Amino acid sequence: MIMKGILSCIFLLIATVVFGQEQIRKSALKTTFLSWATGSIKLFYERSLSDMQTVECALGYIGVMHDGKENNPKGVLLRGGYKWNVLLRDIEEPLKGLYLKPELMFSTFRYDNKEKDKRERSTMLALIGEVGYQWVYKAFVVDFFWGIGPAFGKEADTWYEHGFMLFDFFGLECKNIACSSGVKVGWVF
């Protein structure tokens, strides 16, 4: 409950600052609301370095609400990437457009392994090649993305690492391939 109050205050403060500006906005603060339903919360910060390049980083807490698997995870995740815009963007909206991004993702958490009836640790690192489109409207930003790449470390028995999931599609399982997709929403300032 306290976390919701803190986040609400942060979002209201940012919204107040953003609506009062008429200059070129080069920064964004975003979150992925869908991750909240799977037991983690992520806060992303993006900054435009030029009209064609931005840098993005994220910090996340694993263990908010339930994760759908009822395995009580507790931990942290970190993400960082460098975006190259494929199509020339609007100079007045440097965060808008189609992009390619290599992203380094790290997650570490403890969880209840139901089969072994004990707590275990999962620590994974992934290097994801991501493609996405970021749309900016007034003070709001929506970022759609999808990526895939190699993963290293000790995986959770659910194959969900809270920043990405390991490849388990069409009956093919591969713990060394990580996938990431989602929608980020937030404010530009």
Side-chain angles (χ1 to χ4, degrees):
M1 194 64 163
I2 293 173
M3 181 66 91
K4 287 181 185 177
I6 292 171
L7 287 174
S8 296
C9 289
I10 290 171
F11 288 144
L12 288 173
L13 176 65
I14 291 168
T16 303
V17 170
V18 168
F19 285 116
Q21 296 182 356
E22 288 296 327
Q23 61 192 18
I24 295 175
R25 297 163 300 186
K26 295 185 174 187
S27 298
L29 195 58
K30 303 179 279 189
T31 189
T32 54
F33 287 109
L34 297 176
S35 66
W36 295 19
T38 59
S40 64
I41 184 170
K42 300 175 195 85
L43 192 59
F44 294 82
Y45 175 74
E46 182 175 3
R47 177 75 180 166
S48 175
L49 303 175
S50 72
D51 61 339
M52 298 295 286
Q53 301 170 26
T54 65
V55 65
E56 182 179 70
C57 59
L59 176 64
Y61 174 70
I62 301 168
V64 178
M65 300 160 56
H66 295 289
D67 70 344
K69 305 288 184 185
E70 301 298 325
N71 62 8
N72 192 28
K74 300 286 182 207
V76 66
L77 60 91
L78 303 168
R79 295 171 71 153
Y82 197 87
K83 289 183 180 180
W84 284 278
N85 294 296
V86 178
L87 301 175
L88 184 60
R89 296 180 299 184
D90 182 358
I91 297 298
E92 298 201 11
E93 293 291 354
L95 299 175
K96 183 179 180 180
L98 184 67
Y99 64 85
L100 297 175
K101 177 177 68 169
E103 185 170 25
L104 189 62
M105 300 180 185
F106 172 78
S107 70
T108 183
F109 60 96
R110 295 185 59 79
Y111 68 98
D112 295 333
N113 186 325
K114 306 270 187 203
E115 293 176 7
K116 296 180 182 176
D117 198 30
K118 67 176 187 175
R119 299 262 311 155
E120 288 193 350
R121 175 169 297 282
S122 171
T123 301
M124 293 291 291
L125 181 70
L127 178 59
I128 304 286
E130 203 171 89
V131 62
Y133 183 81
Q134 189 158 265
W135 177 70
V136 176
Y137 179 73
K138 296 189 180 185
F140 299 100
V141 62
V142 179
D143 185 355
F144 302 92
F145 64 94
W146 183 87
I148 191 166
F152 313 93
K154 180 173 181 337
E155 74 280 356
D157 63 346
T158 62
W159 290 40
Y160 181 64
E161 301 300 324
H162 292 276
F164 55 92
M165 64 184 301
L166 300 176
F167 193 86
D168 184 14
F169 300 102
F170 313 113
L172 300 171
E173 296 179 347
C174 185
K175 68 179 184 176
N176 296 322
I177 298 177
C179 302
S180 177
S181 65
V183 178
K184 298 175 215 164
V185 294
W187 289 270
V188 292
F189 54 96

